[in-house]
Amino acid sequence: GCPRPVMAAIPPPSAPGGPEPNPPPLQYSLLLQHLVGEQRRPRAWDPAALGGIPSPPKSEEQKMVERAMESCAFKAVLACVGGFVLGGAFGVFTAGIDTNVGFDPKDPYRTPTAKEVLKDMGQRGISYAKNFAIVGAMFSCTECVVESYRGKSDWKNSVISGCITGGAIGFRAGLKAGVIGCGGFAAFSAAIDYYLR
């Protein structure tokens, strides 16, 4: 086994009024036991023990702003704006790499002008932006309502709201398209939620 540390003998206390005795020498192995050995005590991080970070009480205006930012309407508007920007960028990008932009079937060998290409890119960007904005607002609002109804924040909210959103978009083309849209959007939402968490 390991050799046990030998404690130094403690000298007898001095007489009252006399000089203070020297402290006993501390054994290096005993010190290691308390620093990294079995006798080491883990310290719990408690900000309150150090005084914590002082935080002033929130005013009524701050509470009102927080409630507004956590509301379903705000989340839906935020998703709508984000979807519009993302959809517009995606539409311009796809139009930029599409070889049929500005194509005229009457004159297939004619090279389109820059103005025609930019006009086509703008039209496609606006179209994509509108679609992405509608889908983003529908999904965000549905997820917020489902989360409020269930009282939980987990992956099921994304799947349920994805199915509702995909089904609502697909049902315009028929029952079969609605079922496919529900399943596809739910699977996509579950994959995104799994990746983000």
Side-chain angles (χ1 to χ4, degrees):
C2 298
R4 299 182 64 180
V6 179
M7 296 289 294
I10 301 175
S14 60
E20 288 291 326
N22 293 330
L26 189 60
Q27 297 286 333
Y28 182 68
S29 59
L30 184 64
L31 182 65
L32 283 179
Q33 286 290 328
H34 285 280
L35 291 177
V36 294
E38 297 174 354
Q39 298 182 15
R40 176 176 173 266
R41 295 179 183 176
R43 292 187 179 182
W45 171 250
D46 186 11
L50 303 174
I53 299 173
S55 58
K58 295 179 181 177
S59 64
E60 287 300 319
E61 290 82 9
Q62 288 175 322
K63 292 178 182 177
M64 189 173 66
V65 169
E66 284 185 359
R67 283 194 297 268
M69 291 179 70
E70 292 173 0
S71 67
C72 294
F74 179 80
K75 291 179 179 178
V77 169
L78 193 65
C80 182
V81 172
F84 189 87
V85 173
L86 183 65
F90 187 71
V92 170
F93 174 75
T94 54
I97 60 174
D98 190 0
T99 56
N100 291 329
V101 171
F103 178 74
D104 187 5
K106 296 178 182 177
D107 189 7
Y109 296 105
R110 187 180 72 84
T111 304
T113 62
K115 185 178 180 181
E116 292 173 340
V117 172
L118 289 175
K119 182 181 177 183
D120 203 355
M121 288 173 70
Q123 289 175 346
R124 189 178 297 194
I126 292 294
S127 174
Y128 275 63
K130 288 179 182 176
N131 291 336
F132 273 59
I134 292 170
V135 171
M138 283 179 62
F139 179 80
S140 180
C141 190
T142 308
E143 184 179 33
C144 185
V145 170
V146 169
E147 184 176 331
S148 301
Y149 177 76
R150 294 184 67 233
K152 296 178 182 178
S153 179
D154 55 11
W155 61 272
K156 293 180 182 178
N157 296 336
S158 299
V159 173
I160 294 170
S161 52
C163 180
I164 293 172
T165 305
I169 294 171
F171 275 131
R172 293 184 298 179
L175 180 63
K176 185 178 179 182
V179 173
I180 293 173
C182 171
F185 215 104
F188 179 72
S189 302
I192 293 294
D193 192 80
Y194 177 79
Y195 178 75
L196 291 178
R197 286 176 191 255

